[in-house]
Amino acid sequence: MIIKMDNENTNTLRNYEFVNSYIIRVFAIPIMSYLSQTDPEIANAIEAELGRERHVLEMIPSENFVSRAVLEALGSVATNKYAEGLPGQRYYGGCDEIDKLESLAIERAKKLFGAEHVNVQPLSGAPANIAVYSALLKPDDAILGMDLSHGGHLTHGSPVTWMAKLFNFIRYKTTAEGKIDYDHIRTMAHEHKPKLILVGYSAYTREIDYAAIKTIADDVGALTMADIAHIAGLIAAGEMNNPVTSFDVVTTTTHKTLRGPRGGMIMCKKNHAKAIDSAVFPGLQGGPHENNIAAKAVAFKEALKPSFKEYAKQIKKNAKALEKVFTGSNAKLMFGGTDNHMLLIDVTPLGLSGKEAQIVLDSVGITLNKNMIPDDPRSPMDPSGIRLGTPALTTRGLKEADMERIAQTILDVLTHRTDDGVKDKARAMVKELTEKHPLYPDFSYL
Ligand SMILES: *Cc1c(COP(=O)(O)O)cnc(C)c1O
């Protein structure tokens, strides 16, 4: 029996889930019986991961839950095909169908972001950034990017990366109040004459004035690059400023707020298309991961729907609900609050480090990550802050009132971390909310 799964039609989806659960219950034929039969160790590990995802409140702001359609494309036969090159210009035979799906991914991404040119082959966000540097720069060229402890990403010139040895990264910082300091960026740009000015962050919670950056870049003859890895879904939905139409190059991951498979993507102006494409292949990569590209196409189609706009709006509303509770607390909300999906919080006023906060919250089923705060006096492995966000929980259907409860519970647990009663109460809340908003119901790898 072939059951067509059509995400546009919720009735079909419901039928599909009904039929699957019926099969499981009546005939005991699990969905992924092959894996559990041939490799029970891996099947068990994946099933246990599914259990973990179901039973915790996932608040790491870079994570999300993809649709079953995305999962299906990821686990498809498209993984079998070598397709070096681009649609219509491949080095291998037999690429007709792969060309179709990669072209669809490109066309949908163009529509989603208003891009002139798109390359969907970067394996992830970090390789996408490296491809851009190698396309547009020569060794030792200067890149002006955000200081890491102020919200920048490792691939923006952290000394631990190979890129930091190849290029001359210069760092700007946020103001004392934690806003992007455009005057400071202008001063640094005039002083250092960078070839590239880079914006886009992993732990910065405010809106970005791309027009101001573009003006500074034009003044000093620099190229502009935005790395929208975290906020791509919000931009696609029109809920945050879009740099794609004005900047030279924009990179992103596809697995954060965009809610697609783990992967990267580069969007650019037509005049950079050739340099970008040849930097990705053959410059840095070999055969593209076409199963992953198929899944990107599926996610882009989902993101083009009105329901995704509602999703993005709710992500922001939920982050504002968290902000409301933390604003009135003893913990220190960095950057004064949030305009996007995440919050960065200095927990040291509560008498513990970010690492200690992460560990105690893990123990009650709330998952988030320790994070540096601007000019953090502590170390990256045991920093002052925690970073948390709403994309994954919003996918599960949680709303503002749930967020307020969760924020209050986080504060209670951090403040009374040796009190077993408080922790038990937190665990009960996690259980209640995760049961009320089930994840991948009727799904099993065993
Ligand atoms: C997550 C992220 C990346 C890296 O993406 P990976 O897929 O982990 O390689 C790059 N830049 C920014 C701003 C990010 O947040």
Side-chain angles (χ1 to χ4, degrees):
M1 180 171 32
I2 294 167
I3 303 150
K4 206 161 153 250
M5 191 171 160
D6 183 357
N7 253 357
E8 304 229 76
N9 183 334
T10 46
N11 285 330
T12 316
L13 182 63
R14 258 186 236 117
N15 288 341
Y16 177 84
E17 292 188 344
F18 170 76
V19 173
N20 261 334
S21 63
Y22 179 78
I23 291 171
I24 291 165
R25 273 187 267 115
V26 178
F27 301 107
I29 302 170
I31 294 169
M32 297 200 65
S33 58
Y34 295 106
L35 183 62
S36 63
Q37 280 165 35
T38 61
D39 196 336
E41 285 163 294
I42 293 297
N44 280 322
I46 295 175
E47 183 71 12
E49 169 59 15
L50 174 60
R52 187 197 67 80
E53 291 180 16
R54 278 177 176 154
H55 294 122
V56 303
L57 291 176
E58 182 53 73
M59 302 190 82
I60 294 174
S62 50
E63 294 190 12
N64 214 330
F65 303 117
V66 300
S67 72
R68 292 174 64 158
V70 167
L71 283 178
E72 229 172 65
L74 263 182
S76 71
V77 294
T79 194
N80 296 332
K81 191 74 194 92
Y82 248 113
E84 282 176 355
L86 290 165
Q89 315 157 31
R90 306 284 193 184
Y91 289 80
Y92 289 85
C95 288
D96 291 356
E97 302 310 319
I98 295 298
D99 278 3
K100 278 184 207 160
L101 70 85
E102 186 166 337
S103 299
L104 276 169
I106 292 166
E107 287 315 311
R108 289 172 185 176
K110 280 185 179 171
K111 199 166 161 197
L112 202 49
F113 291 95
E116 287 182 12
H117 180 80
V118 175
N119 188 307
V120 292
Q121 295 187 357
L123 301 177
S124 212
N129 286 348
I130 296 169
V132 173
Y133 303 149
S134 76
L136 304 182
L137 305 170
K138 293 190 200 60
D140 294 329
D141 276 353
I143 304 172
L144 183 56
M146 169 93 90
D147 187 281
L148 296 191
S149 77
H150 290 240
H153 187 260
L154 282 172
T155 56
H156 301 179
S158 161
V160 302
T161 63
W162 182 246
M163 291 304 111
K165 296 185 176 68
L166 261 182
F167 302 108
N168 176 23
F169 282 93
I170 301 152
R171 280 166 252 284
Y172 57 89
K173 296 185 172 200
T174 53
T175 63
E177 301 81 48
K179 297 282 167 70
I180 293 178
D181 188 342
Y182 296 95
D183 292 333
H184 173 53
I185 295 176
R186 184 178 303 107
T187 307
M188 292 195 70
H190 281 273
E191 185 182 336
H192 297 283
K193 299 275 186 294
K195 285 272 165 60
L196 181 71
I197 300 183
L198 172 53
V199 297
Y201 318 105
S202 298
Y204 183 70
T205 60
R206 291 305 195 179
E207 185 55 279
I208 301 164
D209 184 350
Y210 298 104
I213 297 289
K214 176 83 176 115
T215 305
I216 295 167
D218 287 348
D219 281 352
V220 299
L223 295 167
T224 44
M225 169 176 171
D227 175 353
I228 60 169
H230 258 270
I231 53 176
L234 300 175
I235 292 172
E239 288 297 311
M240 289 194 82
N241 294 341
N242 184 356
V244 174
T245 44
S246 59
F247 270 38
D248 288 291
V249 188
V250 176
T251 58
T252 186
T253 63
T254 48
H255 51 272
K256 297 181 184 175
T257 49
L258 198 47
R259 206 163 60 180
R262 192 158 293 281
M265 172 162 85
I266 305 173
M267 297 169 272
C268 66
K269 293 283 177 198
K270 276 218 170 78
N271 56 322
H272 300 302
K274 249 183 115 181
I276 293 290
D277 287 345
S278 55
V280 174
F281 172 85
L284 287 163
Q285 295 185 179
H289 296 188
E290 295 293 346
N291 59 319
N292 191 284
I293 290 170
K296 286 175 188 173
V298 173
F300 298 158
K301 181 166 179 176
E302 290 173 3
L304 282 162
K305 289 187 201 164
S307 58
F308 192 84
K309 289 202 191 333
E310 290 311 309
Y311 167 62
K313 277 199 174 76
Q314 191 64 47
I315 286 178
K316 283 174 68 180
K317 282 189 204 161
N318 283 350
K320 280 287 174 200
L322 293 174
E323 177 193 275
K324 193 169 114 188
V325 176
F326 286 111
T327 301
S329 77
N330 291 328
K332 188 170 174 224
L333 197 51
M334 307 310 297
F335 310 122
T338 182
D339 298 323
N340 57 25
H341 61 296
M342 78 171 125
L343 295 87
L344 182 66
I345 299 170
D346 179 0
V347 291
T348 57
L350 302 175
L352 79 175
S353 72
K355 180 182 166 187
E356 288 163 337
Q358 178 187 311
I359 290 169
V360 68
L361 289 168
D362 244 342
S363 79
V364 300
I366 297 174
T367 310
L368 42 69
N369 65 280
K370 60 180 183 279
N371 212 96
M372 301 272 273
I373 59 167
D375 297 323
D376 202 320
R378 304 179 61 94
S379 73
M381 287 314 289
D382 192 10
S384 301
I386 53 172
R387 190 186 67 151
L388 69 165
T390 57
L393 291 187
T394 306
T395 296
R396 282 186 85 149
L398 277 74
K399 297 262 161 49
E400 292 96 312
D402 304 315
M403 294 298 148
E404 287 180 27
R405 262 181 91 189
I406 293 168
Q408 194 51 57
T409 302
I410 289 173
L411 284 166
D412 289 346
V413 170
L414 295 184
T415 312
H416 309 286
R417 54 196 169 277
T418 53
D419 186 331
D420 287 333
V422 169
K423 287 195 273 190
D424 282 342
K425 218 175 128 211
R427 288 185 192 105
M429 181 203 68
V430 171
K431 187 163 185 290
E432 181 198 322
L433 290 175
T434 52
E435 281 174 2
K436 197 170 144 204
H437 300 277
L439 182 68
Y440 303 121
D442 299 331
F443 209 52
S444 173
Y445 293 90
L446 297 181

